[in-house]
Amino acid sequence: MMDLTRSLLHLPMCLRYQAEHTTRSIRIVSKMKTYSIALIPGDGIGPAVTEAAWQVVEAVARGADFTVHATRLPWSCDHYLETGAMMPEDGVEILRGRDAILLGAVGWPRKVPDSISLHGLLLPIRKAFRQYANIRPHRLLPGVEGPLRKSEFDILCVRENTEGEYSGAGGRVHQGTEDEVAVETAIFTRKGVERILRFGFEQARRRRGKLASVTKSNAQRHSMVFWDEVTHELAREYSDVEVTSYHIDAMAARMVMAPETLDVVVASNLFGDVLTDLGAAIQGGLGFAASANLNPDRSTLSMFEPVHGSAPDIAHLGIANPIAAIWSASMMLDHLGETDAAARIMQAIEAITARGMGTVPGEHKTDDITRAVLTALH
Ligand code: ATP
């Protein structure tokens, strides 16, 4: 019996079982989980920050009861130039079956138009896996001085991620002539609007109980009035959540003038896109802005990525701030249910920023910041 117990405990990590020893039998009580993660480093600073985040994920897993396995996928603008596609035709199938995607940054406008890189990789993944909620936390990390000189705000932006203004519906006729017409149709479905608002309400319930719903219903009298109506319908179900509707312009001003009054902010694809760049700015810059593309019902996989782009101006200089990517990796572990590991990463990030590490753009190298996080983890 003892020999069997010992041999069980000496199995490789990914196969290890905790064995409970009883006088009559060995009972397998829990299996060590292995998460299969697709890494898409992408372009520019993407590979550097993804590698940093992955080192942190591996390190935190070593001290926890799960293991991680990465599949690195070279899908990027270079891949497009080599093959004519941002990802292979069966790209979505390659991703299916993984537990999550960790992405660096995709896009290199001087090589490939953004419209191709976005529509050839990010948008198809978000749509295929019904990652309809894009969430972005905006708060100041300790030691980071944002442009507002205010340290007391903690906002969660929830952006609709699959339809709205970025539905892709539209077209152009009479191209290149003086009669040219371009039409871009925003699509708002009851299913899409209701599920993102419901997700926002649920997040508010878990946080400080406040939801700000953002539209432009004074000017856009169909889709945005519809959005407001659905908000009010759902508000009856979530009577414990305080709901306020704002127009996008008023919300932009509020995020600068009174960000401490906001808790969860929910907005359409375009409005959420704009507001979250503002959110990144008030939290000290894109180097601190993390995000998750969630499939909230967990029926398929979710994708985690820093908000920043490929930053061609600093690519290959070794000075990209990896904190946004590492924070995104923490969100990934949190979503996978590894809440302790996720919290440990956040504590490590906060420990290093509190002493000024990574808080001033360009002052520290990517590798030094990563090493500091790894040291803080231990
Ligand atoms: P996109 O179109 O994908 O949003 P962009 O070119 O508008 O990309 P970014 O690539 O995110 O924006 O870069 C904007 C600015 O922020 C650049 O000057 C870049 O160097 C800086 N920046 C972005 N991410 C980081 C980072 N992780 N660390 C340091 N600086 C960064």
Side-chain angles (χ1 to χ4, degrees):
M1 187 88 70
M2 279 308 291
D3 285 351
L4 184 51
T5 307
R6 228 176 268 131
S7 55
L8 274 171
L9 293 174
H10 283 89
L11 281 169
M13 287 288 273
C14 61
L15 297 174
R16 206 167 79 197
Y17 293 85
Q18 284 177 347
E20 186 183 88
H21 198 158
T22 68
T23 49
R24 288 179 178 213
S25 63
I26 301 237
R27 190 158 62 89
I28 309 278
V29 289
S30 71
K31 184 180 172 192
M32 181 173 263
K33 280 166 278 168
T34 295
Y35 296 109
S36 168
I37 310 296
L39 291 189
I40 307 180
D43 300 294
I45 63 171
V49 298
T50 309
E51 214 42 57
W54 188 248
Q55 280 183 43
V56 173
V57 169
E58 284 188 318
V60 82
R62 275 195 287 275
D65 62 352
F66 64 91
T67 58
V68 286
H69 175 265
T71 305
R72 288 176 170 76
L73 301 164
W75 305 342
S76 59
C77 288
D78 280 340
H79 190 264
Y80 176 84
L81 293 175
E82 278 162 30
T83 66
M86 290 297 295
M87 64 176 173
E89 243 173 65
D90 59 348
V92 164
E93 290 318 308
I94 292 171
L95 295 170
R96 209 183 294 282
R98 317 271 160 205
D99 293 298
I101 304 166
L102 187 59
L103 184 135
V106 172
W108 194 273
R110 261 177 291 153
K111 292 185 195 169
V112 178
D114 276 344
S115 55
I116 290 181
S117 53
L118 193 64
H119 286 272
L121 184 64
L122 274 186
L123 297 189
I125 292 175
R126 288 174 181 168
K127 284 179 185 166
F129 297 115
R130 298 186 299 285
Q131 295 166 351
Y132 64 82
N134 185 291
I135 62 167
R136 300 181 176 188
H138 300 299
R139 64 184 170 86
L140 280 175
L141 293 171
V144 178
E145 199 172 278
L148 305 181
R149 307 279 183 272
K150 274 191 184 173
S151 57
E152 292 300 318
F153 62 87
D154 180 358
I155 304 170
L156 184 73
C157 274
V158 175
R159 161 186 168 191
E160 203 294 317
N161 215 24
T162 51
E163 55 173 46
E165 306 87 343
Y166 295 176
S167 67
R172 286 169 69 176
V173 288
H174 310 304
Q175 261 173 276
T177 74
E178 61 181 19
D179 297 321
E180 184 158 5
V181 179
V183 178
E184 189 92 37
T185 306
I187 293 180
F188 289 84
T189 63
R190 178 167 281 276
K191 185 174 159 195
V193 173
E194 192 175 315
R195 70 185 179 185
I196 194 66
L197 283 165
R198 198 175 280 287
F199 180 78
F201 275 104
E202 295 290 342
Q203 295 301 310
R205 229 177 214 175
R206 271 185 223 126
R207 288 168 50 99
R208 301 191 303 281
K210 285 171 72 174
L211 182 78
S213 169
V214 181
T215 64
K216 187 66 183 164
S217 50
N218 52 348
Q220 294 182 301
R221 62 203 175 103
H222 306 297
S223 56
M224 295 281 115
V225 169
F226 168 60
W227 179 291
D228 278 350
E229 281 171 14
V230 179
T231 306
H232 294 135
E233 281 169 29
L234 286 178
R236 282 184 226 123
E237 258 182 65
Y238 293 88
S239 53
D240 50 326
V241 175
E242 183 190 329
V243 194
T244 313
S245 293
Y246 294 92
H247 291 145
I248 172 81
D249 35 4
M251 176 52 74
R254 180 168 287 267
M255 281 180 69
V256 173
M257 303 304 289
E260 70 283 358
T261 62
L262 297 166
D263 179 12
V264 177
V265 174
V266 62
S268 65
N269 216 333
L270 169 65
F271 290 173
D273 191 0
V274 176
L275 287 177
T276 50
D277 256 36
L278 179 53
I282 63 171
Q283 75 187 121
L286 286 165
F288 304 105
S291 84
N293 302 274
L294 294 184
N295 169 254
D297 60 25
R298 293 164 195 271
S299 56
T300 65
L301 69 168
S302 296
M303 176 164 67
F304 301 81
E305 52 168 331
V307 170
H308 61 71
S310 58
D313 53 338
I314 58 164
H316 312 303
L317 296 184
I319 56 166
N321 192 340
I323 289 179
I326 298 172
W327 189 341
S328 305
S330 163
M331 292 169 78
M332 176 180 81
L333 292 178
D334 193 61
H335 181 73
L336 292 173
E338 301 300 341
T339 49
D340 287 348
R344 282 189 60 210
I345 293 179
M346 288 316 294
Q347 283 157 10
I349 291 176
E350 290 175 8
I352 70 149
T353 59
R355 52 186 166 81
M357 185 58 143
T359 56
V360 178
E363 193 177 78
H364 295 106
K365 298 263 182 201
T366 312
D367 288 350
D368 294 336
I369 300 171
T370 311
R371 246 191 316 275
V373 174
L374 291 170
T375 307
L377 264 184
H378 297 309

